[in-house]
Amino acid sequence: MPDVNATPNTPPTVPVVRFAPSPNGLLHVGHARSALINWHFARDHGGGFLVRIEDIDISRTRPEFERAILDDLRWLGLEWPEPVRRQSEHFEDYRVALHELRKLGLIYPAFLSRAEAAEIVRQSEASGRTWPRDPDGAPHYPDIDRRRSETERDRRIAEGDPHAWRLDMECAIKGLDAPLGWREIGTGPGGETGSVTADPAAWGDVILARRDVPTSYHLSVIVDDAFQNISHVIRGQDLFAATSVHRLLQEILGLPEPLYCHHALVCDSHGRKLSKSDGDTSITALRAQGASAEDIIALAGMPTTA
Ligand code: GLU
């Protein structure tokens, strides 16, 4: 369990935590565990528990998933203030943050399609070179667009050439005036805890706004955590590495630094982390098979909410 007395770098506030599901599938027991850890933390420390719907991926988001997620959480006995923050209703906030980064000269328009970028990587690897990959195993974005002149960028944008926006990682890191890290009150996948050094460069030029959506996970999560005064970001260890990017963006945009608590994931009998695409382990499916809320809470390795 997170230690509320760990010293944050910001003045002490009433703890506020959030559970932030993406409504592109049903919740599984691993999500229940994360929601319950957040909920218990808030309750034990007289703090607030918020639910935030991270629905920026409009092609995969479904209202029926959001309904089922909220219904599962209520059924587990959790309560939160309404209305919940829905990211799709706040694109303007993310645009403002993106504009700040643009004014600082830290982002650039990325014109390569997914297929074009993949082809560049393929050709380079075919010639025997090692292409850098991010902590999730995805290849770094090629540097072609970063090297384009301002004039060419402006011309292509004016001509309506579709583009995303990416962070110029090297430039962003160069601008920092102190080493970057965070205070971890949980543990990373390698047992990291306490004072953790951030390694945003491992991600390459991350995407901050997509062609079809004016934001990305990294950008909207830091804007919302700041907007909602989240003091403790409690989430699964699968997001531990992403925290490096979040800390970098917070630092550049002058946003407060929350404490981070990454927790172990729930795995299936083969030791693999549960996945939304495996509908059989969803809470909805387990409920339909007659599981009680107490059964799910026990499967999540948590005490009852009562
Ligand atoms: N929306 C993310 C997910 O469902 C969680 C993001 C976070 O907790 O920072 O995996």
Side-chain angles (χ1 to χ4, degrees), residues 47-223:
F49 169 76
L50 306 180
V51 171
R52 179 165 79 221
I53 298 294
E54 300 207 328
D55 57 351
I56 54 168
D57 185 354
I58 29 199
S59 62
R60 293 168 65 215
T61 288
R62 301 263 179 283
E64 58 271 28
F65 287 139
E66 179 185 318
R67 274 196 299 275
I69 286 170
L70 296 176
D71 185 59
D72 284 343
L73 292 175
R74 274 187 212 103
W75 177 80
L76 285 169
L78 309 193
E79 290 166 356
W80 55 88
E82 298 277 2
V84 297
R85 184 170 169 97
R86 237 174 240 102
Q87 291 189 324
S88 60
E89 293 167 0
H90 297 278
F91 284 139
E92 194 45 39
D93 296 344
Y94 314 132
R95 252 191 217 107
V96 170
L98 194 74
H99 187 64
E100 268 313 294
L101 294 167
R102 194 172 173 187
K103 281 197 303 199
L104 293 167
L106 295 179
I107 57 172
Y108 63 85
F111 299 101
L112 294 179
S113 67
R114 217 181 269 253
E116 286 166 338
E119 182 54 20
I120 292 173
V121 175
R122 195 196 61 74
Q123 281 183 16
S124 171
E125 288 183 332
S127 70
R129 276 192 290 270
T130 308
W131 193 273
R133 288 183 181 256
D134 73 22
D136 287 344
H140 283 195
Y141 188 73
D143 64 357
I144 292 184
D145 288 323
R146 182 174 4 110
R147 289 191 280 105
R148 289 188 206 282
S149 69
E150 207 54 50
T151 323
E152 187 188 354
R153 288 174 185 174
D154 291 348
R155 178 183 55 77
R156 290 182 66 163
I157 292 175
E159 284 168 359
D161 209 341
H163 57 280
W165 287 92
R166 288 187 175 262
L167 183 69
D168 182 337
M169 184 57 85
E170 207 180 298
C171 204
I173 292 174
K174 246 187 232 148
L176 294 173
D177 40 34
L180 188 68
W182 73 88
R183 185 118 178 94
E184 174 65 49
I185 58 171
T187 41
E192 302 88 341
T193 194
S195 174
V196 175
T197 304
D199 181 18
W203 290 93
D205 291 352
V206 286
I207 194 158
L208 294 184
R210 298 188 178 275
R211 286 180 174 203
D212 52 345
V213 185
T215 187
S216 69
Y217 163 61
H218 294 307
L219 186 64
S220 38
V221 84
I222 57 114
V223 167

Side-chain angles (χ1 to χ4, degrees), residues 18 20-22 54 217 221 235 239 276:
R18 85 306 193 269
S22 305
E54 300 207 328
Y217 163 61
V221 84
R235 60 188 177 192
L239 292 169
K276 268 187 186 155

Side-chain angles (χ1 to χ4, degrees), residues 16-18 50 52 224-233 258:
V16 181
V17 298
R18 85 306 193 269
L50 306 180
R52 179 165 79 221
D224 285 355
D225 284 341
F227 183 85
Q228 297 189 292
N229 294 315
I230 301 301
S231 59
H232 297 68
V233 172

